Amino acid sequence: MIRFSEEWLTQFSGRVAKEVPVPMPANLKESVMWAVRQRQRVSEGQKRLYYRIRICAAACLALALLMGTAIGVEGSDFQAGKNDAWILEVHDTMDGFIGRLNTGFNNLVSEKDSSRNGR
Amino acid sequence: MSSEEYLAELFDRYGSLVWAICYKFTNDYFEAQDLTQDTFLSAFSHLASFDGENERAWICRIATNKGLDYVRRAQRRIEPADETSLLALLEVGKTSVEDEVIEQDMRQRLYEACCSLHPPYDSVAVDYFCKEMTAAEIASARNKKEKTIQTQIYRARAMLRKIWKGA
């Protein structure tokens, strides 16, 4: 790696400027400035692209979160369904119990009636 | 002042100096133009990190490094470049009395190369490379869009480069 001191560079540039036989083209400045503007445009385009990518990524993340939450809600609904089933089962059991109780009472009443009639 | 305006000012002050350094390294009209452009593009992208002190040395350093890179790339195709041979390139000789002849010869060769292109590139190349008109001036003289002229210049340059290297 060659390193140049500032003094050397200043001297070198001074000598070179006198030596080079072909003068700089007059339109070189315009060409350079045009290239600079093109580069700026490209870098602005890249910035815009990165911005769009970030927006898309954020939108996707938000969508994923939304979907996740929706699945969570569905999951809780499923749990609720399960609970409902349990309640139904309990209801069935209760109905059965009351039914059996009724049948028992009915039998008791009919037995009492028959014994009263037999007297 | 915007960075673009600052670069334009920098070019006004050191453009011909950078051109001289680039021409010294390349010894080629078109390569020197490319290297000058590269130097200012590099300066533009590193403006934020520039401390503002001794801008002449700063821009000369960029141009010299670009020139050395160019020589390394060119020599790599032939033989490995060592630092001594690179430094030998930086030796500045005396101003030759033949400089004027060299310039005239170069201009004649350039004109002939421009005329050898097919239309519309020949006239655009003559206007741009020989008469040194800007793309905007050529566009307004021909009543065409500047972008069209820029594209024609770009293509003409590519064709001229081939002719220049072949000569």
Side-chain angles (χ1 to χ4, degrees):
Chain A
M1 182 73 183
I2 305 167
R3 289 186 184 279
F4 305 100
S5 68
E6 289 196 356
E7 293 80 36
W8 187 89
L9 280 166
T10 313
Q11 283 174 9
F12 169 72
S13 59
R15 281 177 291 158
V16 163
K18 287 174 198 160
E19 194 204 52
V20 169
V22 182
M24 181 186 79
N27 51 13
L28 188 60
K29 184 186 173 183
E30 188 232 15
S31 166
V32 168
M33 295 316 292
W34 187 75
V36 166
R37 276 192 288 273
Q38 287 295 109
R39 177 169 283 196
Q40 263 184 320
R41 204 173 294 164
V42 169
S43 63
E44 272 171 23
Q46 278 175 344
K47 271 183 201 167
R48 229 173 288 150
L49 183 72
Y50 289 141
Y51 176 74
R52 280 176 193 165
I53 288 170
R54 268 187 295 174
I55 292 290
C56 281
C60 288
L61 195 73
L63 204 68
L65 277 169
L66 208 69
M67 293 286 280
T69 319
I71 288 168
V73 168
E74 255 182 44
S76 60
D77 279 354
F78 176 69
Q79 285 293 329
K82 258 179 115 177
N83 288 346
D84 287 349
W86 177 78
I87 288 163
L88 281 173
E89 212 176 286
V90 169
H91 272 290
D92 282 350
T93 321
M94 288 283 279
D95 286 347
F97 175 68
I98 291 163
R100 265 182 276 141
L101 205 65
N102 280 338
T103 320
F105 274 120
N106 284 340
N107 288 342
L108 199 69
V109 168
S110 58
E111 266 179 33
K112 255 192 172 178
D113 282 347
S114 60
S115 63
R116 203 180 284 166
N117 290 336
R119 242 187 244 175
Chain B
M1 189 194 291
S2 72
S3 48
E4 203 183 312
E5 284 168 346
Y6 179 70
L7 195 81
E9 258 189 30
L10 209 65
F11 193 94
D12 289 337
R13 269 178 288 192
Y14 306 111
S16 48
L17 183 66
V18 169
W19 162 262
I21 294 171
C22 295
Y23 196 89
K24 168 77 184 162
F25 279 103
T26 57
N27 208 23
D28 182 291
Y29 187 72
F30 293 102
E31 295 290 351
Q33 283 191 30
D34 285 355
L35 220 56
T36 308
Q37 189 168 302
D38 276 359
T39 302
F40 279 99
L41 280 174
S42 188
F44 183 72
S45 17
H46 294 98
L47 270 181
S49 59
F50 175 50
D51 56 6
E53 281 179 27
N54 204 351
E55 54 187 20
R56 184 188 166 109
W58 175 64
I59 198 92
C60 283
R61 177 171 284 124
I62 297 173
T64 309
N65 286 332
K66 290 275 172 199
L68 287 172
D69 285 346
Y70 170 83
V71 175
R72 276 196 198 103
R73 276 200 307 274
Q75 286 197 342
R76 210 172 290 154
R77 284 178 229 134
I78 310 161
E79 56 184 31
D82 59 355
E83 293 196 349
T84 324
S85 63
L86 287 176
L87 286 168
L89 269 168
L90 303 177
E91 291 294 317
V92 182
K94 288 176 185 169
T95 311
S96 168
V97 287
E98 291 172 350
D99 281 356
E100 218 169 292
V101 182
I102 293 169
E103 192 199 339
Q104 277 178 5
D105 178 55
M106 199 277 299
R107 297 234 172 255
Q108 183 59 33
R109 271 178 62 207
L110 187 63
Y111 180 75
E112 282 167 12
C114 290
C115 290
S116 70
L117 301 179
H118 57 83
Y121 303 107
D122 54 349
S123 54
V124 169
V126 167
D127 282 350
Y128 189 78
F129 295 105
C130 302
K131 295 180 185 168
E132 296 183 356
M133 288 167 75
T134 63
E137 285 168 353
I138 301 170
S140 67
R142 289 161 191 246
N143 206 15
K144 281 189 177 173
K145 283 183 186 171
E146 193 182 334
K147 206 164 182 181
T148 313
I149 298 297
Q150 287 284 11
T151 311
Q152 287 179 353
I153 291 167
Y154 178 80
R155 286 177 187 160
R157 190 196 295 272
M159 287 186 267
L160 281 172
R161 198 188 288 271
K162 274 184 192 170
I163 297 169
W164 205 251
K165 281 190 176 162

